[in-house]
Amino acid sequence: MVCFSAIPVFVAVVECGSFSQAGEKLGVTKSAVSKRISQLEAKLGVQLLQRTTRRLSLTEAGERYFDYARNALMIANEGEDAISQLQDQPQGTIRVNAPMAFGRLHIAPMMPKFLFDNPQIKVDMMMDDRVVDLVSGSFDIAIRIGKLPDSSLIARRLAPCHSVLCASPQYLEKFGVPDTPKDLIHHNCLSYSYFQAGTEWRFTGPDGLVSVVPKGNYRVNNSEALLEGLLAGLGIAQMPTFIVGPALASGELVSLLPDYVLPQHAIYAMLPERKHLPAKIRVFLEYLHRRFGETTPYWDSLQDDEAKLT
């Protein structure tokens, strides 16, 4: 009889392309993965993988077996999802992927209460500004911000995402306030490396769409690092309000070009397509909706509250 516990290991090796990455994904050692694959091949009496120093590849038998193994694993997972709906109390591990700044500022603060309220749930969260694949990374849920690419993933909208062009009062006092997007060519514009819209900043103003290619001396792949540059008076940047909302409310940063609107986006919870939503995922989504599911997110309300006081 085939060792069924080896099937998830085999699928992980093929999807990850290496024993070491599969081990990281499954939380076991590379040697344990290699041993399990060898045991599976011995049981089946065929070689499934061609091993070289540089890469792994499927043999003809491996290609044929992989289709069945992946389908078997999917059906087994669906069975677990269906059973989980009968549980009195949600339980199990949730693997979450979130952007670094949003995860640290807005997801991490809710985790203690979520885990206190759901003691039988474990959360394994990876914060990364790069967009990772949910399926190959075995993530149950991912937070995505901005325009969504076409995919088989299920998107649950959590909140709007507003962006502003902003700078510190010190910078503006020294270099002046731009009146139109075209004025930005005379300013030091700070850039986010993973900006999905490419190299252009696009505004909708009185005369329609205006595009500007910003120039500056600082480009970084972390939004909070960009915020530090703004607060220090280094330049002007396009930033989401979920990061700069408190600084705008306190006056540490100033919103610019009020007659020109930046593209509007949203914050989503992304889920792999599945027949049954596990109880652990359902309760996590409910927490996300309670925290962010408002017409005006709490980070934008800070500015409204400050305006009422002035």
Side-chain angles (χ1 to χ4, degrees):
M1 182 178 291
V2 174
C3 181
F4 287 102
S5 61
I7 290 177
V9 180
F10 174 62
V11 172
V13 168
V14 176
E15 290 180 341
C16 294
S18 76
F19 286 170
S20 58
Q21 291 183 25
E24 291 178 6
K25 176 179 177 179
L26 298 171
V28 298
T29 64
K30 176 182 176 181
S31 60
V33 171
S34 179
K35 182 178 180 181
R36 189 58 63 88
I37 295 299
S38 296
Q39 291 173 342
L40 178 61
E41 290 177 325
K43 288 276 189 180
L44 294 172
V46 295
Q47 184 178 356
L48 300 172
L49 296 165
Q50 294 280 5
R51 303 161 176 81
T52 67
T53 55
R54 291 189 175 182
R55 62 188 294 268
L56 292 175
S57 61
L58 288 168
T59 64
E60 182 180 355
E63 289 180 357
R64 185 171 297 185
Y65 185 70
F66 177 66
D67 288 335
Y68 289 101
R70 181 170 53 184
N71 289 335
L73 182 59
M74 181 178 67
I75 292 170
N77 289 334
E78 288 177 357
E80 290 183 6
D81 292 346
I83 291 173
S84 76
Q85 295 182 329
L86 303 177
Q87 296 169 349
D88 293 332
Q89 190 169 15
Q91 56 186 276
T93 299
I94 305 174
R95 283 181 50 80
V96 180
N97 174 249
M100 184 65 71
F102 189 83
R104 197 192 70 77
L105 295 173
H106 303 292
I107 301 292
M110 68 169 255
M111 294 312 304
K113 177 171 172 50
F114 175 77
L115 293 171
F116 285 139
D117 290 347
N118 298 276
Q120 296 189 46
I121 290 180
K122 297 180 180 179
V123 173
D124 180 1
M125 182 163 65
M126 184 184 81
M127 292 188 288
D128 193 335
D129 284 338
R130 295 171 298 177
V131 177
V132 300
D133 183 76
L134 265 71
V135 177
S136 63
S138 295
F139 289 104
D140 297 295
I141 188 167
I143 305 301
R144 295 284 183 264
I145 302 170
K147 185 178 180 181
L148 300 178
D150 293 333
S151 74
S152 61
L153 298 175
I154 298 170
R156 302 284 183 89
R157 190 178 187 274
L158 298 177
C161 178
H162 302 113
S163 294
V164 295
L165 197 72
C166 56
S168 71
Q170 306 94 288
Y171 175 87
L172 298 173
E173 183 178 352
K174 187 174 182 180
F175 296 100
V177 179
D179 293 320
T180 71
K182 297 298 183 183
D183 293 337
L184 294 175
I185 62 173
H186 305 298
H187 288 270
N188 191 37
C189 296
L190 316 182
S191 302
Y192 175 57
S193 302
Y194 296 146
F195 186 55
Q196 294 184 13
T199 58
E200 291 184 332
W201 288 356
R202 297 181 179 180
F203 304 83
T204 301
D207 298 321
L209 183 66
V210 180
S211 297
V212 176
V213 178
K215 303 293 183 182
N217 63 3
Y218 191 35
R219 185 170 180 264
V220 63
N221 67 347
N222 182 273
S223 297
E224 288 185 285
L226 207 58
L227 174 61
E228 292 297 324
L230 283 171
L231 293 173
L234 182 61
I236 295 175
Q238 180 182 153
M239 295 287 283
T241 54
F242 67 76
I243 293 177
V244 298
L248 291 171
S250 67
E252 293 176 280
L253 293 178
V254 177
S255 179
L256 304 172
L257 302 182
D259 295 330
Y260 295 85
V261 180
L262 290 165
Q264 300 296 303
H265 298 296
I267 301 165
Y268 299 91
M270 306 297 296
L271 310 168
E273 190 172 8
R274 58 212 309 171
K275 289 184 179 179
H276 305 281
L277 188 65
K280 62 182 180 180
I281 305 301
R282 175 178 49 77
V283 72
F284 188 73
L285 282 173
E286 289 171 357
Y287 263 74
L288 290 175
H289 279 290
R290 282 199 296 270
R291 184 164 175 80
F292 310 124
E294 302 290 342
T295 304
T296 302
Y298 60 81
W299 51 80
D300 286 340
S301 298
L302 293 172
Q303 299 167 64
D304 296 336
D305 294 341
E306 187 70 19
K308 292 175 183 178
L309 297 174
T310 58

